[in-house]
Amino acid sequence: MLRIATSIVLCTAVAWHTGGAFAQSYPAKPIRVIVPAAPGDSCDVLSRLIGQKVGERLGQQLTVDNRVGAGGQLGLQLIAQAAPDGYTIGCGQGGNMVIVPIAYKKVAYDTLKDFVPIQIPVTNFLGLVVHPTVPFKNVKDLVAYGKANPGKLVFGSNGEGAFIHFSVELLRSLGGFTYLHVPYKGVAPVLSEIVSGRIDSTITSFVSVKPFVDSGRLKLLAIGRATRSPKYPDYPTIAETLPGYENSGWFGFIGPAGMSREHVVLLNKEMNRAVMQPDVREKLDSYGLEIHAESPEFFANRIRQDFEKWGKVARDIGFKQL
């Protein structure tokens, strides 16, 4: 009995030691970070900036693999199909992980089933901008103009069923006005058209419109935060006129479904540590991004909330999937 008891204790100790050593051995090789966008895109910049810090801490490189195609679907599909061993992760954003599945019938992945959320480092709020010569000065005036002139208020977006389109529809539904929607192939031509005076307005990333606002080429009516930005307290929110309007984009790190909890927690911890480093915070702040250091559950909840929010917008406007 003594021999049996001693053997059990020894086996338990060996098993515990081996398990601990196994856990501590991750990562034993470089981690591939699939970015479903071109170099210079927000996900690309974030992956390189945060990846460098995490790699230094873990002793293994996080190597960025840019996979462009199908509006981000190609890269996200590769993440979903990767082995869940912690050596392939990726960066997604609200547009391709939430809006695309809502807007399109055929999507190469199921966001809620095929991925495990790891960490959401930043969010970016939106800005409602107009050409400086439009006959309204604030959100209240815009709504009144839209009601008094059905179909004459022209909004541009980066495509039917795209994030900007749904953002404008949320504004319209809360304001009760009508407008003319003009889709373009990207945000850049939308801003160019407003600057030229050919269309009236759009709602897009504050970071994208701020240079135009600073130069006087566009006028910012309000921002899409729930409350005023501590950094830009003079900018009113849309919600001050239309209660309930809140709209922001996000970028976050994900892994394939089935990835171990231990690996997720470790990466989350190190990514949170990375975004709180002074040089990283300074860089992200310069881009106008709002920094987060939260749990994987916080990120997962944000994804579910966005599906509910934008799914409701799509249903309310009778949007037909493309």
Side-chain angles (χ1 to χ4, degrees):
M1 289 296 293
L2 180 61
R3 286 200 193 103
I4 293 173
T6 303
S7 297
I8 291 173
V9 171
L10 288 173
C11 288
T12 302
V14 170
W16 179 88
H17 178 77
T18 303
F22 175 78
Q24 292 172 11
S25 68
Y26 173 81
K29 61 181 181 179
I31 298 173
R32 177 192 185 198
V33 184
I34 296 178
V35 173
D41 177 88
S42 297
C43 258
D44 178 77
V45 172
L46 283 170
S47 297
R48 295 178 191 278
L49 183 63
I50 296 173
Q52 180 182 350
K53 296 291 186 180
V54 173
E56 290 172 356
R57 288 272 304 174
L58 297 181
Q60 293 289 347
Q61 286 187 326
L62 273 68
T63 58
V64 173
D65 183 1
N66 297 92
R67 295 301 184 102
V68 184
Q73 290 193 57
L74 175 62
L76 289 173
Q77 182 179 20
L78 290 174
I79 299 168
Q81 294 173 342
D85 55 8
Y87 289 102
T88 298
I89 62 173
C91 181
Q93 44 101 344
N96 54 34
M97 289 188 67
V98 176
I99 301 300
V100 166
I102 289 174
Y104 290 86
K105 293 179 182 177
K106 294 183 179 180
V107 181
Y109 48 84
D110 184 322
T111 297
L112 299 177
K113 294 181 180 179
D114 293 341
F115 305 111
V116 56
I118 298 174
Q119 191 247 10
I120 179 171
V122 296
T123 56
N124 66 326
F125 58 89
L126 278 66
L128 169 59
V129 291
V130 297
H131 187 271
T133 62
V134 296
F136 38 84
K137 298 180 179 180
N138 50 47
V139 177
K140 182 179 179 181
D141 290 348
L142 179 148
V143 171
Y145 179 87
K147 288 180 176 179
N149 301 274
K152 290 187 177 180
L153 180 59
V154 184
F155 274 86
S157 83
N158 56 335
E160 191 78 22
F163 185 49
I164 293 176
H165 178 204
F166 282 169
S167 298
V168 176
E169 281 295 329
L170 180 60
L171 181 76
R172 178 202 61 76
S173 65
L174 292 173
F177 62 89
T178 60
Y179 73 98
L180 175 64
H181 175 222
V182 181
Y184 293 85
K185 294 181 178 179
V187 176
V190 174
L191 297 178
S192 177
E193 290 288 272
I194 301 175
V195 169
S196 69
R198 282 188 281 271
I199 62 176
D200 300 313
S201 183
T202 194
I203 303 175
T204 190
S205 167
F206 175 78
V207 178
S208 299
V209 301
K210 190 173 184 299
F212 295 90
V213 173
D214 290 344
S215 65
R217 288 176 290 171
L218 293 179
K219 181 178 180 178
L220 180 74
L221 296 187
I223 60 176
R225 288 179 101 257
T227 58
R228 293 200 180 198
S229 167
K231 189 175 181 181
Y232 305 103
D234 293 335
Y235 293 148
T237 67
I238 296 173
E240 289 172 28
T241 302
L242 301 175
Y245 191 98
E246 190 278 326
N247 195 358
S248 62
W250 51 259
F251 304 90
F253 293 102
I254 55 175
M259 188 172 162
S260 78
R261 175 68 180 173
E262 290 77 14
H263 294 168
V264 170
V265 169
L266 176 62
L267 291 176
N268 173 270
K269 175 183 175 182
E270 295 303 332
M271 288 174 176
N272 283 341
R273 186 194 301 270
V275 297
M276 298 308 292
Q277 297 302 307
D279 56 332
V280 175
R281 289 182 63 87
E282 182 180 359
K283 178 70 72 173
L284 296 177
D285 188 61
S286 71
Y287 296 141
L289 298 170
E290 301 191 321
I291 301 168
H292 300 271
E294 302 284 355
S295 68
E297 289 73 26
F298 175 88
F299 186 14
N301 189 52
R302 174 62 191 265
I303 294 173
R304 287 192 296 269
Q305 288 177 340
D306 277 7
F307 263 104
E308 293 174 5
K309 174 179 180 175
W310 298 116
K312 182 179 186 303
V313 170
R315 292 190 299 274
D316 288 349
I317 66 175
F319 182 80
K320 302 291 185 181
Q321 283 188 308
L322 303 174

